[in-house]
Amino acid sequence: MKKIFALLLTFTRVFTLLSCKKEEDETLNIKVIAPNGTPTLSLVKLFEENPSLGENVITTYETISSTDVLSSKLISEEADIAIVPTNLAVNLYNQGLPYQLVGSTVWGILYLVSTKEVTDWSDLQGKDISMIGRGLTPDATFRYLLTENNLDPENDVSLTYFAGASELAANFISGKSDYALIPEPLLTNVLSKRADAKVVLDLQEEWTEVTGQESYPQASLIISTNLIDNHPDVVDAFIELYQEAIIWNSNNKLTAGEYYVNLEIGLSANLIKKAYDGCNIKYVSAVDAKLALSEYLS
């Protein structure tokens, strides 16, 4: 709990630093990364249009296919800005890596789908459930909800992990599994390809029922402390553009889908439009999300 509180204390520091401004003449190269799916979708306008973050600033964007690759890039400090599973942000902090959590942006996109009837958590007893993100947000959230609903994640169910969401989806669509925890927007695609499947548990609703919180900060924005300390004007510009991009997405879902298609990571523009509301994208600064973050990390 002390580490969580220490991490929360760093949030306020970020916004204090943004009030300072430094002038730099040399070229500044910034790398922004995000995993495939909703984190990338939240950034898709910036991926496509690559707006300026300031004079002599060059920004590159990359979408990542698996959480393992995402983690390795951050551990080796290959990125300056990233959207990551929230508890990965905590893991990086605990390892002493130079990143700070600045805001939360994806508020729950996890849905349990099945070809079987599920009316209660007890119906999952003895079942094999396909997953992604071992040790990360999907895993932690699902295990917590299992426990709160009187199921032991280690003994009452069998959890099978896949490296990425695309692999997970392909396995489920092929009929190799009957239960899978799948995130939007991939979920909408899966349901269109396996007609006998349906959502049996909305983890966002289940979270609210257990905790009383509206939702949980599944993914968050982290920024390198070097960038925050030495280029606060650039950080400020990015956050402002990112917030504007998220608002634009919600008003231009089809175009956002077309931008996503341009990244050549699957899913059609119409599918993205259909799935968008279930992606629960909303930027909340770390200061404003402090209670939700504290509850979730606890």
Side-chain angles (χ1 to χ4, degrees), residues 80-149:
D80 304 288
I81 300 172
I83 308 295
V84 302
T86 299
N87 66 331
L88 174 57
V90 178
N91 291 341
L92 294 172
Y93 174 82
N94 288 340
Q95 292 176 53
L97 289 160
Y99 292 100
Q100 291 193 15
L101 195 158
V102 175
S104 293
T105 188
V106 179
W107 292 83
I109 53 171
L110 298 172
Y111 303 84
L112 185 69
V113 297
S114 180
T115 57
K116 309 297 182 182
E117 194 66 31
V118 175
T119 58
D120 186 79
W121 283 85
S122 62
D123 293 330
L124 300 180
Q125 178 94 32
K127 301 300 188 295
D128 189 330
I129 301 164
S130 300
M131 305 269 293
I132 55 170
R134 184 193 293 270
L136 296 178
T137 302
D139 190 27
T141 304
F142 191 61
R143 284 173 175 268
Y144 173 73
L145 290 174
L146 283 168
T147 302
E148 290 297 305
N149 285 279

Side-chain angles (χ1 to χ4, degrees), residues 5 80 103 127 148 151 153 155 224 226 235 291 296:
F5 184 67
D80 304 288
K127 301 300 188 295
E148 290 297 305
L151 288 173
N155 299 305
S224 74
N226 176 63
V235 172
L291 176 60
Y296 182 68

